[in-house]
Amino acid sequence: MMTPTLPTFLMISAALFCIGLLAALSRRHAIFILIGIEMMLAAAGLNFIAFWRFGPQPAPPIGVMVTIFAIAIAAAEAAVGLALVIAVYRHYRTTDVDQVDQLKG
Amino acid sequence: MNSAAFFFIAVLTLSAAVAAACLRQLVHAALSFAVALVGVAAFYFLLGAEFVGLVQVFVYVGAVAVLIVFTILLTRHGTDENRGFNWSGVVIALAVLAALLWAIMRTPALYVAAQPGVTVTVRQIGEALMSDYVWPLQCVGLLLTAALIGALVLVLEEKR
């Protein structure tokens, strides 16, 4: 077994991104869609850290800083998204995104 | 970097992610999601960004996963969620994965050797946050405050 290189990290984060995309596109439950979005954000953060680690050194920790800010923004997004899920559930008594279609033309 | 640890973490993370995307039971999926995020944090540790790994565990596993479980418990209803699965999403996800893997394999500039002993200390991160990243830090603080107030307003009971 060889030591992990940058392409292996990128492939893993691509796989994680696509699993998140799968969850966001194919499930009908709103919470699954949020989980998929969070997974895609985590994959993007992994990409940033991998590029920072394999980039020219010593470098300013730009990848690390971007990942920290992305984690903070993902937390805000999760809080608002879950509050939206609760509000939609109160109104429609369901969390199935296919049934929440009142605005559909 | 330890290749055995890398392989183990990769298998753990990806299988937990697949379980989070495909399990029928919402609570099981949320717990698998937490395991996948712990795996991502382990990748951060392996790559020498210990502080980011810790933040990942605190924020995602400590806050976001608990929030998701709470929301599942609040919005649970009698009928179990055995709803359909949209298979066109699988096709799109596989197409995106194939395109990404093709692009990664076709880029020879990515095959660089890692320099040993690269790490980032908390002191470096703190100094960067207080010098170059002051404005992004303030904006994130504002964003988090707005998100907190917005989430509270959204879940307030409507007066009838």
Side-chain angles (χ1 to χ4, degrees):
Chain A
M1 222 191 289
M2 54 185 189
T3 58
T5 55
L6 180 56
T8 50
F9 279 103
L10 294 188
M11 283 174 200
I12 285 180
S13 99
L16 198 62
F17 181 87
C18 290
I19 294 168
L21 191 66
L22 170 74
L25 287 181
S26 61
R27 303 301 296 247
R28 306 223 168 106
H29 199 288
I31 294 174
F32 272 112
I33 295 174
L34 271 173
I35 286 179
I37 291 170
E38 294 289 330
M39 243 189 273
M40 288 194 267
L41 276 167
L46 185 58
N47 253 4
F48 272 111
I49 295 283
F51 272 110
W52 163 76
R53 177 66 178 79
F54 288 90
Q57 296 288 342
I62 297 176
V64 175
M65 305 310 291
V66 171
T67 309
I68 290 173
F69 283 118
I71 289 174
I73 292 169
E77 175 255 328
V80 175
L82 291 171
L84 274 175
V85 171
I86 291 178
V88 165
Y89 177 74
R90 274 205 193 128
H91 198 80
Y92 289 93
R93 289 284 134 197
T94 181
T95 47
D96 190 338
V97 290
D98 280 352
Q99 293 176 23
V100 185
D101 54 358
Q102 204 172 338
L103 283 179
K104 200 171 175 182
Chain B
M1 258 174 276
N2 194 341
S3 54
F6 173 81
F7 186 72
F8 176 73
I9 297 169
V11 170
L12 177 81
T13 307
L14 290 184
S15 50
V18 169
C22 298
L23 280 181
R24 287 262 159 80
Q25 283 283 329
L26 262 175
V27 181
H28 296 176
L31 294 178
S32 312
F33 170 66
V35 173
L37 291 176
V38 170
V40 173
F43 274 129
Y44 292 163
F45 276 103
L46 204 64
L47 283 166
E50 285 90 359
F51 181 70
V52 185
L54 273 179
V55 169
Q56 171 94 2
V57 171
F58 288 157
V59 173
Y60 272 111
V61 184
V64 173
V66 173
L67 208 59
I68 287 176
V69 171
F70 263 108
T71 312
I72 290 168
L73 296 182
L74 281 177
T75 61
R76 171 179 282 179
H77 38 172
T79 59
D80 215 3
E81 37 275 332
N82 189 8
R83 302 199 201 96
F85 196 83
N86 196 351
W87 287 100
S88 61
V90 181
V91 177
I92 295 172
L94 283 179
V96 172
L97 179 65
L100 284 175
L101 290 183
W102 178 80
I104 291 167
M105 301 232 207
R106 289 294 300 270
T107 312
L110 291 178
Y111 289 87
V112 290
Q115 286 156 15
V118 177
T119 185
V120 61
T121 59
V122 181
R123 182 189 179 90
Q124 274 175 297
I125 293 176
E127 280 174 355
L129 273 181
M130 283 298 127
S131 58
D132 292 343
Y133 294 90
V134 168
W135 285 108
L137 186 71
Q138 302 295 324
C139 291
V140 163
L142 196 65
L143 176 81
L144 284 174
T145 314
L148 182 68
I149 297 171
L152 279 177
V153 168
L154 277 174
V155 297
L156 273 183
E157 289 284 354
E158 292 170 36
K159 299 277 185 297
R160 295 186 190 277

